[in-house]
Amino acid sequence: MGKTLLQKVWDAHAVRILPTGQTQLFIGLHLIHEVTTPQAFDALRARGWKVSRPDRTFGTVDHIVPTRERNRPFLDLLAEDMITALEKNCHDFGIRLAGLGDDRQGIVHVIGPELGLTQPGMTIACGDSHTSTHGAFGAVAFGIGTSQVRDVLASQCLAIEPLKVRRIKVDGVLPRGVYAKDVILAIIQKLGVGGGVGYAYEYAGSAIDRMSMDERMTICNMSIEGGARVGYVNPDQTTFDYLKGRPFAPEGEAFERAKAWWASMASDADARYDDEVVIRAEELTPLVTWGVNPGQSIGVGGRIPSVDASLPDQQAVADALAYMGLEGGKPIAGMRVDVAFIGSCTNSRLSDLREAARIVKGRHVAPHVKGLVVPGSVAVKRAAEREGLDEIFRTAGFEWRDAGCSMCLGMNPDKLVGDQVCATSSNRNFKGRQGSPTGRTLLMSPAMVAAAAVAGEVVDVRELSAEVAAGAI
Amino acid sequence: MDALRITHVEGTALPMRGEDVDTDRIMPARFLRAVTFEGLEQHVFEDERSGSVAGDRAKEQHPFDNPQYAGASILLVNRNFGCGSSREHAPQGLRRWGIRAVVGESFSEIFFGNSVMIGLPCVTVSPDELHELMERVEERPSAVLRIDLTAGTCEIDGFTCAIGLPAAARDALVTGAWDTTGLLLARYEEVNAVAATLPYVAGF
Ligand code: SF4
């Protein structure tokens, strides 16, 4: 009987079974940022502990950093405190930091892969739930809380329960205008926001096999929104090609040896899964969320659900409709948007920006819409500027910002105001998520956000892009 | 570790109805803007308690503000509680507010793990039993709920039901080993031995 990648990685990293029955798992890469670490470093100081493996730890700043006017000290004094604390902690404990002003700075889940820190077969931990992103490389990557950050800093290990594996096969060819974002939104819609609890999601099938690393990262990123702590794709030639030449990737003959080991960690053909789900790519459409969790989505051509007394859980539907100010039974297309946000660790990579730029080129954002493009990293920003994407966005009326999490969670000045409606390429539409307690969030692909920005309302990107270049999405 | 042992929790309860309560609701992101967890209790469910959130429920009094439940130390919740962001600020805020245990239909994994690591047990009961518990508490808010982690039961006013708690978490709580760092450091040479077998650690 073969093994899954999860089992192989688990076995390779298991130190021992703890008296609690949990596995003590060695963590190959610990990524840290300013928001979830200060209390963990304080705990280390209080107990006189060192960081166990600073060489396997890497820091950056993303959550709270301003995306413009970055001169120090920041106008936002709390942000200044948090960044200063991380700088001091990294300095005191000997940890590498891609801080502000560093060419490598960016959203932690964008820079890990970009720098080649993220590699197949590794265990990765970070105090952020979207750490599942790194699974796109065939790593087993856990989002953790601050007490666990303390554990990993002090011991380079996590105490953790084993996971089951559900294979999700996406077979076939995605229709025009349907993106990786739509695939993962469809998976969450089908399996539910709690459907993945206790599972790692292994994404497979011909549609996933054909995807670029950027697309695979979008899918793995939102595993957590389906309740799965871990999501991964088996490493293949696409993975190896991406990694070659990255700053922290092995070089020369070492790269060849690495490739052989990475390939050996992929799930065996006869591996056994605890569950299996098949999705037909041809049946997918561009999706938009109408509610307050990422599972509450419909096709852009669909109608907003009404409260149906014959079905369970209708209080949640009623609540969501009330919060969103929506009426059941109406089409979602045509819903007015006030803000369009292209960014976040889900969709702020170069390919996302290219696709959005293609839609807005030669057009202008609607007069009542505030458009914001926030590249995921300094490197993405520079690469986009080399291609002139910044000019396309600026000419179309978007603001072009510096790298960070920005309006994904509204911890910096980029926030919704009042009950604004935001079309966003990020990953969470929870109540208040984007910084205003009454702000309303519609999740969709970056191309759909671009289309909504131009139209001033939710529209089907396939109609707009058909005008741009017939059949060329 | 004796001082850390949590074998039972006893107190009045606070029912909070609703599925998929996410950590952005429990602790909105702007309150993560600090380098300590101190004072987080002031911000638990702040946005919905202030009445500023639109939606039907907001018109009712929030359970955390209901004087009937003042001083409650056990939180009763429905399905998939604590989903979303991994912020430990959510359980930290609840604990500092005075919550000592959470009883629910199910919990998000990260929230569950974060809670255990700060000594806040999250135990499950069936949807029917939860309904019963909530009704009883709503009827008589002064009733004392007793959770016995060792026996695996929870009891209120003569109504008893079995609680679910994974063995690892239960053992950690009842033996006081929920503060895991010491445990992980105990046999550190074994960690180095495993690291030495991983080709990427040596650079291939
Ligand atoms: S972009 Fe959003 S989801 Fe991603 S790490 Fe930042 S805050 Fe978290």
Side-chain angles (χ1 to χ4, degrees), chain A residues 30-33 108-109 124-129 131 142-144 149, chain B residues 86:
Chain A
H30 186 197
L31 297 167
I32 62 173
H33 61 85
V108 63
H109 310 310
I124 299 178
C126 173
D128 184 279
S129 54
T131 306
F142 302 96
I144 58 178
V149 171
Chain B
S86 61

Side-chain angles (χ1 to χ4, degrees), chain A residues 62-63 107-109 128 130 221 344-345 405 408-409 427 433:
Chain A
D62 52 6
H63 280 66
I107 304 176
V108 63
H109 310 310
D128 184 279
H130 293 95
N221 174 274
S344 91
C345 57
C405 296
C408 174
L409 89 167
N427 45 47
R433 169 72 179 184

Side-chain angles (χ1 to χ4, degrees), chain B residues 45-144:
Chain B
F45 289 109
E46 172 147 331
D47 285 344
E48 46 197 74
R49 289 169 65 190
S50 64
S52 54
V53 178
D56 282 351
R57 289 244 174 83
K59 294 189 198 99
E60 300 160 17
Q61 187 170 40
H62 196 279
F64 274 71
D65 292 324
N66 190 333
Q68 285 193 313
Y69 304 126
S73 58
I74 298 173
L75 181 61
L76 302 179
V77 299
N78 292 109
R79 204 179 55 209
N80 198 28
F81 185 81
C83 61
S85 160
S86 61
R87 61 189 67 162
E88 190 173 306
H89 306 68
Q92 288 275 1
L94 290 172
R95 197 165 186 288
R96 282 158 199 267
W97 195 83
I99 298 298
R100 290 292 172 265
V102 191
V103 183
E105 287 173 48
S106 62
F107 298 92
S108 109
E109 265 167 88
I110 298 183
F111 178 87
F112 178 88
N114 284 344
S115 298
V116 172
M117 288 199 67
I118 61 169
L120 178 66
C122 296
V123 303
T124 56
V125 296
S126 74
D128 288 346
E129 287 159 346
L130 191 81
H131 186 73
E132 181 75 32
L133 292 176
M134 283 190 171
E135 297 232 301
R136 282 177 187 252
V137 170
E138 279 161 0
E139 214 157 276
R140 200 168 81 80
S142 63
V144 170

